[in-house]
Amino acid sequence: ALEQQEFRIVFQPIVNTITRKLSSAEALLRWQDPERGMVPPAHFITVAEESGLIIPIGNWVLQQACLQARAWYDQGLGAIPIAVNLSARQFQDPSLDASIASALQQAQCPSELLQLEITESMVIHDAEQALQTMQRIVATGVQLSIDDFGTGYSSLSYLKRFPVKKLKIDRSFVNELETDANDRAIVDAILTLAHKLGLRTVAEGVETLGQLTLLQQLGCDECQGYYFSKPVPAPEFLALDRS
Ligand code: C2E
Ligand code: CA
Ligand code: CA
């Protein structure tokens, strides 16, 4: 797919919960297979991880994200940071720093326009190593977020030490926010903890106005989900209502 240039990136808006203004975008990978059509990442990321192909694929995503962030900037849309998902293998790869630097440099993209999402499970095998990797990344001006928060090994001692800016609350807690008091309690607790640690919060998978209203009441900073938009190709992203 890489050779045949069949990979595509779609972008999903992340908006401010109160103002509903766009704050950033998440880049999500798709495989435009000539026979199967649009293949979602769940169907190929694991294979790419196991084969090691995730490294060149991940580098391609980094490059495309930097080019897009720079293009939007040049089109006068202001700074729309783009968040890229890192895989475990990429995060452990010694050439990660060089790949990030080269993607930014080739696109002439300011480092503040690139954000990287990592999951809790990626850091548990070797927390010290992970901490060093994170510190090197943030030293370049690229921001880090913890993705799918609450589903992995939510270690509070890590959270205290890691140089991350954002916590993304996993979709599984947002799904039944309107009907499940336990989910509400969990989201409430994550938000309180995150804010006391000085982290920005993003709720994933916001699909309804009811969920959005609750997240506003609970004080979540940002929201992402089908209620605002599905992930879309860059030209459609620009056409989204930005009011
Ligand atoms: P993720 O990082 O948690 O990304 C969010 C997923 O939730 C995306 O699925 C997105 O389309 C979906 N989503 C967003 N809003 C809603 C909503 O309101 N309702 C529902 N039901 N789903 C929503 P997608 O694009 O299929 O990606 C799945 C996973 O694949 C991602 O989860 C991420 O872990 C991985 N992935 C995607 N792109 C890349 C990439 O470039 N590199 C790596 N390593 N992994 C990637
Ligand atoms: Ca993500
Ligand atoms: Ca996520």
PDB file of all heavy atoms in Angstrom, residues 66-86:
ATOM      1  N   CYS A  66       2.614  16.959   9.010  1.00  0.00           N
ATOM      2  CA  CYS A  66       3.390  18.211   9.043  1.00  0.00           C
ATOM      3  C   CYS A  66       3.113  19.038   7.796  1.00  0.00           C
ATOM      4  O   CYS A  66       2.957  20.260   7.872  1.00  0.00           O
ATOM      5  CB  CYS A  66       4.889  17.916   9.155  1.00  0.00           C
ATOM      6  SG  CYS A  66       5.347  17.241  10.757  1.00  0.00           S
ATOM      7  N   LEU A  67       3.032  18.392   6.626  1.00  0.00           N
ATOM      8  CA  LEU A  67       2.744  19.111   5.388  1.00  0.00           C
ATOM      9  C   LEU A  67       1.367  19.773   5.461  1.00  0.00           C
ATOM     10  O   LEU A  67       1.183  20.911   5.043  1.00  0.00           O
ATOM     11  CB  LEU A  67       2.799  18.148   4.187  1.00  0.00           C
ATOM     12  CG  LEU A  67       4.202  17.697   3.759  1.00  0.00           C
ATOM     13  CD1 LEU A  67       4.122  16.542   2.769  1.00  0.00           C
ATOM     14  CD2 LEU A  67       4.989  18.867   3.165  1.00  0.00           C
ATOM     15  N   GLN A  68       0.392  19.033   6.019  1.00  0.00           N
ATOM     16  CA  GLN A  68      -0.963  19.558   6.092  1.00  0.00           C
ATOM     17  C   GLN A  68      -1.052  20.733   7.066  1.00  0.00           C
ATOM     18  O   GLN A  68      -1.691  21.746   6.770  1.00  0.00           O
ATOM     19  CB  GLN A  68      -1.929  18.443   6.504  1.00  0.00           C
ATOM     20  CG  GLN A  68      -3.375  18.816   6.347  1.00  0.00           C
ATOM     21  CD  GLN A  68      -3.712  19.179   4.896  1.00  0.00           C
ATOM     22  OE1 GLN A  68      -3.681  18.334   4.030  1.00  0.00           O
ATOM     23  NE2 GLN A  68      -4.013  20.446   4.638  1.00  0.00           N
ATOM     24  N   ALA A  69      -0.401  20.591   8.223  1.00  0.00           N
ATOM     25  CA  ALA A  69      -0.442  21.677   9.218  1.00  0.00           C
ATOM     26  C   ALA A  69       0.173  22.936   8.613  1.00  0.00           C
ATOM     27  O   ALA A  69      -0.344  24.040   8.776  1.00  0.00           O
ATOM     28  CB  ALA A  69       0.299  21.265  10.488  1.00  0.00           C
ATOM     29  N   ARG A  70       1.275  22.751   7.896  1.00  0.00           N
ATOM     30  CA  ARG A  70       1.942  23.881   7.262  1.00  0.00           C
ATOM     31  C   ARG A  70       1.048  24.489   6.170  1.00  0.00           C
ATOM     32  O   ARG A  70       0.935  25.713   6.031  1.00  0.00           O
ATOM     33  CB  ARG A  70       3.273  23.416   6.674  1.00  0.00           C
ATOM     34  CG  ARG A  70       4.028  24.444   5.909  1.00  0.00           C
ATOM     35  CD  ARG A  70       4.606  25.501   6.838  1.00  0.00           C
ATOM     36  NE  ARG A  70       4.617  26.803   6.215  1.00  0.00           N
ATOM     37  CZ  ARG A  70       5.455  27.780   6.527  1.00  0.00           C
ATOM     38  NH1 ARG A  70       6.339  27.607   7.494  1.00  0.00           N
ATOM     39  NH2 ARG A  70       5.412  28.921   5.917  1.00  0.00           N
ATOM     40  N   ALA A  71       0.373  23.625   5.403  1.00  0.00           N
ATOM     41  CA  ALA A  71      -0.493  24.107   4.315  1.00  0.00           C
ATOM     42  C   ALA A  71      -1.647  24.938   4.883  1.00  0.00           C
ATOM     43  O   ALA A  71      -1.957  26.014   4.367  1.00  0.00           O
ATOM     44  CB  ALA A  71      -1.019  22.933   3.499  1.00  0.00           C
ATOM     45  N   TRP A  72      -2.279  24.453   5.953  1.00  0.00           N
ATOM     46  CA  TRP A  72      -3.378  25.216   6.558  1.00  0.00           C
ATOM     47  C   TRP A  72      -2.873  26.557   7.071  1.00  0.00           C
ATOM     48  O   TRP A  72      -3.526  27.578   6.941  1.00  0.00           O
ATOM     49  CB  TRP A  72      -4.032  24.411   7.696  1.00  0.00           C
ATOM     50  CG  TRP A  72      -4.951  23.343   7.194  1.00  0.00           C
ATOM     51  CD1 TRP A  72      -5.606  23.320   6.000  1.00  0.00           C
ATOM     52  CD2 TRP A  72      -5.320  22.137   7.877  1.00  0.00           C
ATOM     53  NE1 TRP A  72      -6.364  22.171   5.903  1.00  0.00           N
ATOM     54  CE2 TRP A  72      -6.216  21.437   7.038  1.00  0.00           C
ATOM     55  CE3 TRP A  72      -5.008  21.581   9.125  1.00  0.00           C
ATOM     56  CZ2 TRP A  72      -6.788  20.212   7.395  1.00  0.00           C
ATOM     57  CZ3 TRP A  72      -5.573  20.368   9.483  1.00  0.00           C
ATOM     58  CH2 TRP A  72      -6.450  19.686   8.625  1.00  0.00           C
ATOM     59  N   TYR A  73      -1.699  26.520   7.649  1.00  0.00           N
ATOM     60  CA  TYR A  73      -1.085  27.741   8.168  1.00  0.00           C
ATOM     61  C   TYR A  73      -0.868  28.732   7.027  1.00  0.00           C
ATOM     62  O   TYR A  73      -1.213  29.908   7.130  1.00  0.00           O
ATOM     63  CB  TYR A  73       0.240  27.370   8.839  1.00  0.00           C
ATOM     64  CG  TYR A  73       0.891  28.489   9.580  1.00  0.00           C
ATOM     65  CD1 TYR A  73       0.387  28.921  10.804  1.00  0.00           C
ATOM     66  CD2 TYR A  73       2.023  29.120   9.061  1.00  0.00           C
ATOM     67  CE1 TYR A  73       0.981  29.958  11.495  1.00  0.00           C
ATOM     68  CE2 TYR A  73       2.622  30.156   9.748  1.00  0.00           C
ATOM     69  CZ  TYR A  73       2.102  30.570  10.960  1.00  0.00           C
ATOM     70  OH  TYR A  73       2.697  31.598  11.635  1.00  0.00           O
ATOM     71  N   ASP A  74      -0.346  28.225   5.917  1.00  0.00           N
ATOM     72  CA  ASP A  74      -0.080  29.077   4.753  1.00  0.00           C
ATOM     73  C   ASP A  74      -1.374  29.602   4.134  1.00  0.00           C
ATOM     74  O   ASP A  74      -1.384  30.657   3.502  1.00  0.00           O
ATOM     75  CB  ASP A  74       0.712  28.311   3.685  1.00  0.00           C
ATOM     76  CG  ASP A  74       2.155  28.110   4.099  1.00  0.00           C
ATOM     77  OD1 ASP A  74       2.623  28.833   5.018  1.00  0.00           O
ATOM     78  OD2 ASP A  74       2.821  27.220   3.543  1.00  0.00           O
ATOM     79  N   GLN A  75      -2.458  28.820   4.279  1.00  0.00           N
ATOM     80  CA  GLN A  75      -3.733  29.262   3.714  1.00  0.00           C
ATOM     81  C   GLN A  75      -4.415  30.291   4.614  1.00  0.00           C
ATOM     82  O   GLN A  75      -5.567  30.660   4.378  1.00  0.00           O
ATOM     83  CB  GLN A  75      -4.656  28.059   3.499  1.00  0.00           C
ATOM     84  CG  GLN A  75      -4.227  27.177   2.327  1.00  0.00           C
ATOM     85  CD  GLN A  75      -4.919  25.811   2.332  1.00  0.00           C
ATOM     86  OE1 GLN A  75      -6.086  25.704   2.682  1.00  0.00           O
ATOM     87  NE2 GLN A  75      -4.196  24.777   1.956  1.00  0.00           N
ATOM     88  N   GLY A  76      -3.732  30.698   5.661  1.00  0.00           N
ATOM     89  CA  GLY A  76      -4.264  31.748   6.523  1.00  0.00           C
ATOM     90  C   GLY A  76      -5.286  31.268   7.541  1.00  0.00           C
ATOM     91  O   GLY A  76      -6.057  32.047   8.083  1.00  0.00           O
ATOM     92  N   LEU A  77      -5.301  29.959   7.802  1.00  0.00           N
ATOM     93  CA  LEU A  77      -6.277  29.431   8.758  1.00  0.00           C
ATOM     94  C   LEU A  77      -5.765  29.513  10.185  1.00  0.00           C
ATOM     95  O   LEU A  77      -6.422  29.087  11.121  1.00  0.00           O
ATOM     96  CB  LEU A  77      -6.587  27.971   8.412  1.00  0.00           C
ATOM     97  CG  LEU A  77      -7.199  27.798   7.037  1.00  0.00           C
ATOM     98  CD1 LEU A  77      -7.155  26.358   6.609  1.00  0.00           C
ATOM     99  CD2 LEU A  77      -8.632  28.307   7.052  1.00  0.00           C
ATOM    100  N   GLY A  78      -4.578  30.035  10.337  1.00  0.00           N
ATOM    101  CA  GLY A  78      -3.997  30.121  11.674  1.00  0.00           C
ATOM    102  C   GLY A  78      -3.389  28.789  12.064  1.00  0.00           C
ATOM    103  O   GLY A  78      -3.240  27.891  11.236  1.00  0.00           O
ATOM    104  N   ALA A  79      -3.074  28.685  13.329  1.00  0.00           N
ATOM    105  CA  ALA A  79      -2.420  27.469  13.801  1.00  0.00           C
ATOM    106  C   ALA A  79      -3.458  26.402  14.114  1.00  0.00           C
ATOM    107  O   ALA A  79      -4.271  26.565  15.015  1.00  0.00           O
ATOM    108  CB  ALA A  79      -1.589  27.782  15.030  1.00  0.00           C
ATOM    109  N   ILE A  80      -3.469  25.356  13.317  1.00  0.00           N
ATOM    110  CA  ILE A  80      -4.320  24.201  13.638  1.00  0.00           C
ATOM    111  C   ILE A  80      -3.376  23.026  13.899  1.00  0.00           C
ATOM    112  O   ILE A  80      -2.941  22.355  12.962  1.00  0.00           O
ATOM    113  CB  ILE A  80      -5.289  23.842  12.483  1.00  0.00           C
ATOM    114  CG1 ILE A  80      -6.111  25.059  12.061  1.00  0.00           C
ATOM    115  CG2 ILE A  80      -6.194  22.682  12.895  1.00  0.00           C
ATOM    116  CD1 ILE A  80      -6.999  24.809  10.843  1.00  0.00           C
ATOM    117  N   PRO A  81      -3.030  22.794  15.166  1.00  0.00           N
ATOM    118  CA  PRO A  81      -2.111  21.690  15.444  1.00  0.00           C
ATOM    119  C   PRO A  81      -2.728  20.358  15.020  1.00  0.00           C
ATOM    120  O   PRO A  81      -3.948  20.169  15.131  1.00  0.00           O
ATOM    121  CB  PRO A  81      -1.933  21.733  16.964  1.00  0.00           C
ATOM    122  CG  PRO A  81      -2.394  23.087  17.383  1.00  0.00           C
ATOM    123  CD  PRO A  81      -3.436  23.496  16.385  1.00  0.00           C
ATOM    124  N   ILE A  82      -1.901  19.469  14.505  1.00  0.00           N
ATOM    125  CA  ILE A  82      -2.380  18.146  14.100  1.00  0.00           C
ATOM    126  C   ILE A  82      -1.759  17.090  15.008  1.00  0.00           C
ATOM    127  O   ILE A  82      -0.543  17.073  15.218  1.00  0.00           O
ATOM    128  CB  ILE A  82      -2.042  17.863  12.620  1.00  0.00           C
ATOM    129  CG1 ILE A  82      -2.757  18.883  11.728  1.00  0.00           C
ATOM    130  CG2 ILE A  82      -2.438  16.432  12.245  1.00  0.00           C
ATOM    131  CD1 ILE A  82      -2.577  18.652  10.233  1.00  0.00           C
ATOM    132  N   ALA A  83      -2.627  16.228  15.553  1.00  0.00           N
ATOM    133  CA  ALA A  83      -2.173  15.155  16.437  1.00  0.00           C
ATOM    134  C   ALA A  83      -2.017  13.869  15.633  1.00  0.00           C
ATOM    135  O   ALA A  83      -2.900  13.501  14.863  1.00  0.00           O
ATOM    136  CB  ALA A  83      -3.180  14.948  17.565  1.00  0.00           C
ATOM    137  N   VAL A  84      -0.879  13.220  15.813  1.00  0.00           N
ATOM    138  CA  VAL A  84      -0.576  11.967  15.120  1.00  0.00           C
ATOM    139  C   VAL A  84      -0.477  10.846  16.161  1.00  0.00           C
ATOM    140  O   VAL A  84       0.105  11.039  17.229  1.00  0.00           O
ATOM    141  CB  VAL A  84       0.764  12.107  14.347  1.00  0.00           C
ATOM    142  CG1 VAL A  84       1.268  10.760  13.864  1.00  0.00           C
ATOM    143  CG2 VAL A  84       0.613  13.075  13.184  1.00  0.00           C
ATOM    144  N   ASN A  85      -1.062   9.705  15.841  1.00  0.00           N
ATOM    145  CA  ASN A  85      -0.971   8.549  16.738  1.00  0.00           C
ATOM    146  C   ASN A  85       0.359   7.838  16.537  1.00  0.00           C
ATOM    147  O   ASN A  85       0.741   7.540  15.405  1.00  0.00           O
ATOM    148  CB  ASN A  85      -2.099   7.558  16.429  1.00  0.00           C
ATOM    149  CG  ASN A  85      -3.452   8.126  16.787  1.00  0.00           C
ATOM    150  OD1 ASN A  85      -3.824   8.162  17.959  1.00  0.00           O
ATOM    151  ND2 ASN A  85      -4.188   8.601  15.787  1.00  0.00           N
ATOM    152  N   LEU A  86       1.045   7.556  17.642  1.00  0.00           N
ATOM    153  CA  LEU A  86       2.280   6.777  17.546  1.00  0.00           C
ATOM    154  C   LEU A  86       1.973   5.350  17.952  1.00  0.00           C
ATOM    155  O   LEU A  86       1.180   5.111  18.862  1.00  0.00           O
ATOM    156  CB  LEU A  86       3.340   7.326  18.503  1.00  0.00           C
ATOM    157  CG  LEU A  86       4.076   8.611  18.131  1.00  0.00           C
ATOM    158  CD1 LEU A  86       5.212   8.823  19.126  1.00  0.00           C
ATOM    159  CD2 LEU A  86       4.623   8.566  16.711  1.00  0.00           C
TER     160      LEU A  86
END
